[in-house]
Amino acid sequence: MIDGIIAIVGRPNVGKSTLFNRMLEERLSIVEDTPGVTRDRIYGDCQWLSKTFRLIDTGGITFADEPFQKEINAQVEIAVDEADVIIFITDGRQGLTSEDEYIAKLLRKAKKPVIVAVNKIDDNSLINNIYDFYGLGFKDVIPVSGSHGIGVGDLLDECTANMPDKPKDAYEGMIKFAIIGRPNVGKSSLTNAFLQEERVIVSDIEGTTRDAIDTVFTANDKTYVVIDTAGIRKRGKIYENVEKYSVLRSRNAIDRADVILVVIDGEKGIIEQDKHVAGLAHEALKGVIIVYNKWDAVNKDDKTMAATERQIREEFSYLDYAPIAFTSALKKQRINTLLPLIDMVYQNVNLRIRTNVLNEVIMDAQLSNPPKTHNGKRLKIYYASQVQSSPCVIVLFVNDPELMHFSYQRYIENKLREAFGFEGVPIRIIARKRED
């Protein structure tokens, strides 16, 4: 669960992407000396001390009538709207510009914490260059060098100090599930089928649902929260701001949910973008159900469902733990199969295994199929412990973690699933050296 969202904004070519990469310690953004290279927002999750936050890199704001500039400015506006804290990057070598003052005026309207990062202060001889930037009207002005890492720790300290306290979960005790998928697969229709009323606008126009929408409802004496999200469209396909915005909203919906319904358009079949969408849920280690929607529009016989299920398993091999449901949200067919699946996956997400029972399964697995030797050494699992549920994390204390081959780890996972179910739930297994 993330503690907040930080947006990096500024005019072109001040070093936003360099700082973004420095904060994430990996090169996710293209760095080039040509202004305007970063056209859309790029996201990354970052941790500093006890805080985990989502970092958004944005394109540069400018007056110039450059290609895509209108879209870039819209992207920045959306990122600022979504952020809890804003890093406003300026160029300490070039000095204060009219564009900086224009951006400062926009940011003051946002009424969000703004930290001015004066970039390219690479040595002490340049430190006095920062004082002009106090004229922008923000109290926090920090000298940094994105390319050398100078001042980045101070900047992160200030950002995390300005993050709001994590709000209490308003839906505590409720079963939260998010409906995700590319545009026009029937997510809003599915939400309405759950609610049995038209609370969400349903349209054949792709991208109608622009925000994540939470709705509480009760069924079978249980309370649920359904989070309907904007469709995730392939990045780079178009530059319209609402499409890029939908990816961030969908990621945030995944973070807040216990169970994710990955919806596929049965009429059009599986496409590459479906795998990208499903990958977001898998990477977040959430409970997953694959929903093959618009089943009413598929020409089928008594073998079609089994053949389609085989295809889904082939295309989504990394989701082999996820149950599959075939539905028609529009015709409200087979919708009654979904809530029992959601209940089951929710229970599995929160399943805790007693340590003695877990170790019996692990020891039996080793006896049935001992690990193979590697360079004269053999893996030995001494004991296991489930250190976390939601997501499920199991630590295996071993003689040497390097001896844990992927295939044997997969074997252990399969044995755990045989013993405890865990249908719909990813299992993270960590091999750790036993302390003597």
Side-chain angles (χ1 to χ4, degrees), residues 86-219:
I86 299 158
I87 298 175
F88 175 17
I89 301 193
T90 58
D91 188 329
R93 289 182 178 270
Q94 194 172 29
L96 187 64
T97 69
S98 58
E99 284 182 318
D100 292 327
E101 291 172 343
Y102 168 72
I103 294 167
K105 185 177 178 181
L106 294 178
L107 295 181
R108 280 193 291 273
K109 292 179 183 177
K111 294 183 170 34
K112 302 279 181 77
V114 175
I115 295 136
V116 179
V118 184
N119 195 25
K120 306 182 185 179
I121 306 298
D122 301 314
D123 57 64
N124 287 333
S125 66
L126 301 169
I127 196 69
N128 289 334
N129 293 8
I130 74 168
Y131 294 109
D132 285 347
F133 294 94
Y134 280 97
L136 293 172
F138 304 107
K139 68 181 181 69
D140 296 315
V141 178
I142 298 176
V144 300
S145 170
S147 58
H148 294 91
I150 299 169
V152 174
D154 294 336
L155 178 62
L156 285 168
D157 284 341
E158 203 61 47
C159 287
T160 53
N162 278 277
M163 278 184 191
D165 293 333
K166 190 180 290 187
K168 184 180 178 182
D169 185 359
Y171 306 130
E172 190 172 354
M174 303 179 190
I175 300 172
K176 301 182 288 292
F177 64 94
I179 303 175
I180 68 170
R182 56 188 173 86
N184 209 33
V185 295
K187 297 183 300 298
S188 295
S189 295
L190 195 58
T191 299
N192 292 334
F194 278 118
L195 301 175
Q196 299 182 336
E197 56 181 291
E198 297 294 315
R199 287 203 195 176
V200 181
I201 298 168
V202 181
S203 168
D204 287 336
I205 301 170
E206 294 188 351
T208 301
T209 306
R210 299 188 177 184
D211 292 340
I213 302 167
D214 297 357
T215 308
V216 179
F217 70 99
T218 302

Side-chain angles (χ1 to χ4, degrees), residues 212-270:
I213 302 167
D214 297 357
T215 308
V216 179
F217 70 99
T218 302
N220 304 321
D221 298 323
K222 294 178 183 176
T223 304
Y224 301 85
V225 183
V226 55
I227 307 169
D228 180 27
T229 62
I232 304 173
R233 191 187 289 246
K234 191 172 183 179
R235 227 185 65 217
K237 186 176 181 182
I238 59 173
Y239 292 97
E240 185 184 342
N241 55 325
V242 294
E243 299 297 347
K244 304 294 190 306
Y245 192 29
S246 73
V247 177
L248 179 60
R249 279 297 176 97
S250 295
R251 285 182 181 272
N252 292 344
I254 289 168
D255 285 340
R256 293 190 292 117
D258 304 302
V259 179
I260 312 298
L261 273 57
V262 177
V263 185
I264 299 168
D265 184 339
E267 190 172 18
K268 293 183 179 178
I270 300 166

